Amino acid sequence: MSGAIQLTEVDFEQIKENLIDYLKSTRKFTDYDFAGSNLQVILNLISYQAQLNAYSTNMVANESFLASASLRNNVVSNAQMIGYTPTSARSSCLILDFNIELEEQSYPQGFPKYIQVMGGAAFNASTTNNSFIFNVIDTQTAAVSKFGKVTFKDIETYEGVMLYKNFTVDDSDFNQKFVIENPLVDSTTIRVEVQEDPNEDISYLYSAADNLVTLTEESRVYWLQETNDGYYQLVFGDGFFGKLLKDGAKIKVSYLVTNAEVANGIQNIGNIVFVGGIIDSYGTRITDKVNVDRVEPSFGGSKIEDVSSIKFRAPKFYASQNRCVISDDYETIIRKIYPGVDDIYVYGGEQLPIAEYGRVYVVVKPTTGEKLSNISKDYIKNSLEPFRVASLDIILTDPTVVYVETVSTVFYNEKATNKDPAGITATVIDTLNKYSEGSTVSKFGGTVRYSRVVGAVDDSDQAITRNLTYLRMRRNIPIVENTFASYEICYENSFKLDCNNPVIYTTGFRMELGGVVSPNTYYFEDDSSGNIRLFHFNEFNEKIIDNKEFGTVDYEKGEILIGYQKPIKFVSTTENNSIIKVRALPRGQDVEAKLSIYLDFDVAESDINTVVDTKIAKI
Amino acid sequence: MSFISYNGKNVTLSKDVKEFVDISLAFEPNPITNDLTLLTNTRSIENSLKNLIYYAPTEIVFDRTIGSGVREYLFDIIDMATASLLQSEIERIINNFEPRIELVNLNYESYDSSNLVGFTPASTDGYSIDPRNSGVYVEAQHDQNQFSVTITYRIVGYQQIFRVNKILEPTR
């Protein structure tokens, strides 16, 4: 008895199996099992068609929703429906001061009133491997002093190549689109000028619109939306919201095509050369030497937002409704303003021990380094202005990064592997790196679980028999060189109580004692009873305690205070970048991040020691 | 059909003859029944052999192992060497994908001549073997730019030995 044919499967083999089951039940044909038979040709044909139908139906359904779509074009158009435009690639920003000294003999009629740096390529900055062009997007003007000196301060230049594209509005083309066909465009650098009347040589600057609320039929605005392949399309007003462009109007678009994050971190003033164009108020081109006075390290370059990020952020952006009210809103909007962010923690001033009402604290951990530069903080703060709730003050602070290191002695059975101890160590480090990349570890509110670390070490190689492991916390404390100061070092994790051995220890530093810079390298540690003591090693490598009350330690709060009774002056440190590494042992087995503590599981500084296990049970 | 006596009763014994039934891809209606044309038994098997030899690997969706390199050999030099390669390729595909038949080498196998259906084997002198009697014999006919393929087989479970001959020539 033949039943219904099941063609609802998505798997080719399963569909074919269903067809064969059907043929078996009819008993009319017998050759369905043999690879060369004509029936197999028919079965393959039907199964393939059914599978294609099922697959395309499945794909159509999946691609219709933001959560399940996988093709970029569909993800982008789904995100557009909730008002989200994916972040384009972002140019690295180099902020610098420079000056020009005009020569008096070149200006017998007197110095010009002002000079202008024209929009376009301005500086060439080279690194060891690459050379980048930084551009001035909008023309910059500065006044000329009576001595002929012109100073440009805090000029923002953006890395990339400036390109231009022209369009002419054609009403006969009902499907005309103004598309910038380059996926590496930084959309914040797009400038649009429109010659509205083709017979009148006047161009107007159009600006990017965010919403419809303030627009009239005369507003000179455009909207930007992503189309296929990461290209950007300009959309102009319809005559009700935004000015409608007439037939023949000429659109001139300039934009930067960027190398994204590759150009971040440029700061060597000697490798920055002016290559731009300058004209004075008389309209004469100036060729005097440009002297660069100050450079902030370039920052903010990032790639175009990827599909997974769009899927993650678009619903959150929609939920935030384009304004910062709850802490999640800040996180979503800051990531859109400044993509180079690892994690963000936001809390209200009322949560502080001494409440500060009307303030919102935003702690940002950038992708590179421990903290943002002041320029980046100002940029984020200013960019948050249109989104913030009136009367609330936004304060950007630096995260407190607590590094967690693993100290582990790994025992292994040398007969169960052909790796040497270094090979086992490398495997363990690999595993710990994978653990550190987990979503629960390196972040605000992250936790390093002792049991997970121990388990991961044991499981990293079959030959490992056991391990003796403990976790250690570390803070990198930047010193203020040659200045009297006090230091508060917080871990927000209680310290271990140990009557015999210190639980706090540091890397070396030199300091001024009694008004004289001491030649010794000093260290500090705790004395197990709440005091921090200063010591150094003499020529016989004996430990000499210099000051038994150098500072205090609160084992409960996990806090070290030094220089509070009497400020101290550090001169230099043994570590690079003027930091002292202060290590402390936690009381609990796990290390947790609270408040603005950012946890960073640091495998590179961990101590992994591999030895052959001599106590393996005899089988 | 026969009868045996079991407990004093006659019991009917019948043999369920296994039949191979395939469909013809010509899709021409049968002139008598007006139904689809069916290929049965040896016709079905020979059609299957033809299909298997003609398939190129990856031609069958989701099973790239089915198929042979015969097409490529046809455009090679028409000589004994290519014929030998062609022969082993055809043997491989029959052994792998056509479980209904087994190749018969009349040089080594004792057989009843009454089971030979419609052909006589090449005669031998009793001492040497004749390649024409092997399961698959490919003859290079270089003057006509073609190969002649002869397959001698037995349907598994049956005594009769069948022989099929095909001409393979390159077509562009």
Side-chain angles (χ1 to χ4, degrees):
Chain A
M1 183 66 190
S2 58
I5 308 173
Q6 297 288 325
L7 286 177
T8 51
E9 308 286 343
V10 188
D11 179 41
F12 176 84
E13 290 300 331
Q14 195 63 49
I15 296 168
K16 198 166 157 188
E17 201 63 43
N18 290 342
L19 287 168
I20 288 175
D21 285 345
Y22 172 75
L23 283 178
K24 274 181 187 164
S25 65
T26 63
R27 303 176 71 86
K28 180 144 186 158
F29 298 102
T30 57
D31 282 10
Y32 40 76
D33 271 342
F34 305 111
S37 67
N38 287 340
L39 266 176
Q40 278 279 331
V41 176
I42 305 273
L43 287 177
N44 282 339
L45 200 65
I46 297 172
S47 307
Y48 193 47
Q49 181 59 40
Q51 194 249 3
L52 273 182
N53 280 344
Y55 176 76
S56 49
T57 312
N58 198 19
M59 280 299 279
V60 167
N62 278 344
E63 295 296 317
S64 302
F65 301 100
L66 183 62
S68 52
S70 56
L71 300 175
R72 184 178 179 97
N73 292 347
N74 299 325
V75 172
V76 168
S77 67
N78 280 320
Q80 250 162 27
M81 287 165 69
I82 52 174
Y84 183 83
T85 306
T87 313
S88 69
R90 286 285 168 91
S91 303
S92 189
C93 176
L94 185 71
I95 297 179
L96 29 73
D97 297 348
F98 56 93
N99 70 70
I100 304 160
E101 286 178 16
L102 302 177
E103 288 176 14
E104 200 165 0
Q105 62 267 31
S106 306
Y107 295 97
Q109 74 278 41
F111 286 122
K113 288 196 178 76
Y114 60 85
I115 64 169
Q116 289 183 313
V117 176
M118 307 307 290
F123 291 94
N124 185 356
S126 50
T127 61
T128 321
N129 303 321
N130 291 309
S131 166
F132 300 101
I133 299 288
F134 283 82
N135 302 264
V136 171
I137 305 297
D138 302 305
T139 300
Q140 303 288 326
T141 307
V144 181
S145 75
K146 60 182 176 183
F147 304 110
K149 187 167 182 181
V150 192
T151 306
F152 287 86
K153 281 190 86 66
D154 292 336
I155 302 300
E156 293 179 9
T157 58
Y158 293 89
E159 183 277 325
V161 178
M162 188 162 272
L163 298 179
Y164 300 91
K165 193 165 174 72
N166 297 319
F167 303 98
T168 304
V169 178
D170 181 3
D171 279 354
S172 65
D173 181 356
F174 293 106
N175 199 25
Q176 189 178 20
K177 287 182 178 169
F178 309 111
V179 179
I180 303 170
E181 289 170 336
N182 197 318
L184 301 172
V185 173
D186 175 352
S187 66
T188 59
T189 63
I190 294 176
R191 296 289 181 272
V192 180
E193 279 184 29
V194 181
Q195 184 185 338
E196 291 169 355
D197 187 342
N199 302 317
E200 201 179 331
D201 194 14
I202 303 173
S203 292
Y204 297 93
L205 192 67
Y206 276 53
S207 55
D210 289 330
N211 56 45
L212 297 176
V213 180
T214 55
L215 299 183
T216 67
E217 67 266 29
E218 287 298 317
S219 303
R220 291 193 166 94
V221 291
Y222 67 89
W223 284 265
L224 202 64
Q225 60 191 43
E226 192 183 321
T227 58
N228 293 349
D229 308 321
Y231 298 166
Y232 282 87
Q233 181 188 356
L234 302 173
V235 179
F236 291 89
D238 58 358
F240 294 99
F241 295 108
K243 201 173 173 80
L244 177 68
L245 298 188
K246 289 183 194 153
D247 190 28
K250 288 176 181 157
I251 304 166
K252 186 183 175 192
V253 186
S254 67
Y255 56 92
L256 277 188
V257 170
T258 173
N259 287 303
E261 79 283 6
V262 186
N264 283 349
I266 293 174
Q267 55 186 334
N268 192 344
I269 207 162
N271 294 336
I272 297 174
V273 182
F274 186 78
V275 292
I278 307 174
I279 56 167
D280 59 22
S281 56
Y282 302 126
T284 317
R285 193 178 172 89
I286 294 175
T287 52
D288 294 86
K289 187 171 182 291
V290 173
N291 308 303
V292 179
D293 300 327
R294 183 187 66 93
V295 175
E296 289 280 334
S298 58
F299 66 96
S302 64
K303 285 190 187 125
I304 190 168
E305 189 174 2
D306 62 16
V307 169
S308 60
S309 168
I310 298 170
K311 287 167 78 170
F312 178 73
R313 288 186 202 166
K316 290 182 171 52
F317 184 77
Y318 180 66
S320 78
Q321 290 290 315
N322 233 0
R323 67 204 65 172
C324 292
V325 181
I326 59 168
S327 58
D328 277 1
D329 300 346
Y330 283 91
E331 187 167 346
T332 309
I333 289 172
I334 289 174
R335 281 183 190 278
K336 190 147 179 59
I337 295 168
Y338 191 86
V341 163
D342 249 4
D343 203 5
I344 297 167
Y345 177 68
V346 181
Y347 60 96
E350 76 282 357
Q351 291 177 20
L352 290 170
I354 301 167
E356 291 180 23
Y357 296 101
R359 283 187 164 175
V360 177
Y361 283 84
V362 180
V363 192
V364 179
K365 164 75 174 64
T367 315
T368 48
E370 273 192 21
K371 56 184 186 182
L372 291 171
S373 67
N374 288 337
I375 300 277
S376 308
K377 280 186 202 160
D378 284 346
Y379 169 73
I380 293 175
K381 194 176 172 184
N382 292 337
S383 307
L384 280 174
E385 277 298 310
F387 304 103
R388 77 185 175 99
V389 173
S391 86
L392 274 185
D393 193 12
I394 299 170
I395 294 172
L396 270 99
T397 59
D398 294 325
T400 306
V401 181
V402 171
Y403 297 91
V404 181
E405 302 167 357
T406 310
V407 184
S408 186
T409 308
V410 180
F411 295 89
Y412 79 106
N413 179 358
E414 61 182 336
K415 288 175 184 152
T417 179
N418 49 14
K419 288 181 188 165
D420 60 355
I424 298 282
T425 304
T427 316
V428 171
I429 286 172
D430 236 23
T431 311
L432 291 177
N433 273 327
K434 277 183 197 139
Y435 174 69
S436 76
E437 286 159 14
S439 59
T440 57
V441 182
S442 292
K443 59 189 279 197
F444 290 111
T447 309
V448 177
R449 299 269 179 223
Y450 174 74
S451 63
R452 297 266 175 191
V453 174
V454 171
V457 172
D458 268 353
D459 292 345
S460 49
D461 197 292
Q462 284 186 337
I464 294 175
T465 51
R466 62 199 167 99
N467 70 81
L468 296 176
T469 298
Y470 63 89
L471 299 178
R472 186 169 72 189
M473 301 183 290
R474 190 188 85 230
R475 292 273 325 267
N476 292 349
I477 306 299
I479 60 159
V480 192
E481 282 178 8
N482 298 315
T483 308
F484 282 109
S486 310
Y487 297 84
E488 180 187 16
I489 307 164
C490 292
Y491 291 80
E492 297 290 346
N493 280 274
S494 302
F495 295 145
K496 188 177 169 184
L497 298 171
D498 192 327
C499 302
N500 303 319
N501 301 307
V503 294
I504 295 161
Y505 45 102
T506 67
T507 53
F509 50 86
R510 288 182 61 208
M511 60 188 305
E512 191 181 291
L513 290 174
V516 182
V517 176
S518 168
N520 299 325
T521 299
Y522 291 96
Y523 307 86
F524 66 78
E525 64 181 16
D526 68 311
D527 65 354
S528 305
S529 56
N531 292 315
I532 295 287
R533 57 192 181 197
L534 183 74
F535 67 92
H536 74 275
F537 293 97
N538 66 9
E539 64 268 36
F540 308 111
N541 215 18
E542 290 163 346
K543 191 167 160 183
I544 310 294
I545 293 176
D546 299 281
N547 185 355
K548 285 185 178 174
E549 291 179 347
F550 186 61
T552 56
V553 53
D554 186 331
Y555 291 96
E556 270 320 302
K557 281 169 73 179
E559 186 181 76
I560 301 166
L561 299 174
I562 49 174
Y564 266 70
Q565 280 87 12
K566 191 180 166 198
I568 49 176
K569 191 191 269 189
F570 289 115
V571 176
S572 62
T573 63
T574 53
E575 294 290 323
N576 292 334
N577 301 327
S578 301
I579 56 163
I580 303 174
K581 292 181 175 173
V582 184
R583 294 189 163 89
L585 303 179
R587 188 179 303 174
Q589 289 188 320
D590 300 342
V591 179
E592 293 174 359
K594 292 166 197 155
L595 298 173
S596 60
I597 299 275
Y598 181 92
L599 217 56
D600 194 329
F601 190 62
D602 193 345
V603 181
E605 295 258 348
S606 294
D607 294 337
I608 311 293
N609 183 24
T610 305
V611 289
V612 175
D613 195 348
T614 51
K615 295 180 181 171
I616 300 170
K618 299 272 188 300
I619 301 167
Chain B
M1 197 177 291
S2 59
F3 300 96
I4 61 162
S5 184
Y6 178 74
N7 285 348
K9 290 180 183 172
N10 283 337
V11 178
T12 308
L13 281 182
S14 68
K15 187 179 174 186
D16 189 8
V17 180
K18 190 171 181 184
E19 196 179 26
F20 301 113
V21 185
D22 198 1
I23 200 168
S24 165
L25 286 186
F27 289 113
E28 285 170 0
N30 185 313
I32 300 162
T33 63
N34 225 15
D35 202 349
L36 276 175
T37 314
L38 299 180
L39 304 176
T40 53
N41 298 335
T42 49
R43 282 186 69 205
S44 153
I45 288 169
E46 282 166 19
N47 177 68
S48 169
L49 287 178
K50 185 189 79 183
N51 283 348
L52 285 172
I53 290 168
Y54 282 171
Y55 285 146
T58 70
E59 189 177 328
I60 304 292
V61 286
F62 294 105
D63 194 347
R64 58 185 179 173
T65 57
I66 300 175
S68 71
V70 167
R71 267 172 208 271
E72 284 157 30
Y73 291 129
L74 294 184
F75 289 96
D76 227 327
I77 300 164
I78 310 277
D79 64 357
M80 282 294 287
T82 313
S84 166
L85 291 169
L86 202 52
Q87 177 184 328
S88 47
E89 184 65 3
I90 293 171
E91 278 173 4
R92 181 188 68 81
I93 197 159
I94 290 173
N95 291 333
N96 286 346
F97 297 110
E98 190 44 275
R100 287 176 288 186
I101 63 169
E102 54 191 18
L103 295 171
V104 178
N105 190 335
L106 298 175
N107 289 318
Y108 302 121
E109 218 173 298
S110 57
Y111 57 89
D112 187 342
S113 58
S114 65
N115 282 333
L116 301 179
V117 181
F119 74 97
T120 49
S123 60
T124 61
D125 55 12
Y127 298 102
S128 56
I129 58 171
D130 191 317
R132 288 173 296 176
N133 287 337
S134 51
V136 177
Y137 170 62
V138 180
E139 185 187 5
Q141 298 173 342
H142 48 81
D143 51 338
Q144 293 169 64
N145 196 32
Q146 65 184 27
F147 293 100
S148 164
V149 179
T150 308
I151 301 171
T152 310
Y153 67 93
R154 176 190 290 123
I155 298 175
V156 174
Y158 290 81
Q159 293 298 314
Q160 291 103 319
I161 296 172
F162 300 92
R163 175 167 279 184
V164 59
N165 183 266
K166 288 273 177 200
I167 300 294
L168 296 178
E169 58 181 12
T171 53
R172 287 181 190 275

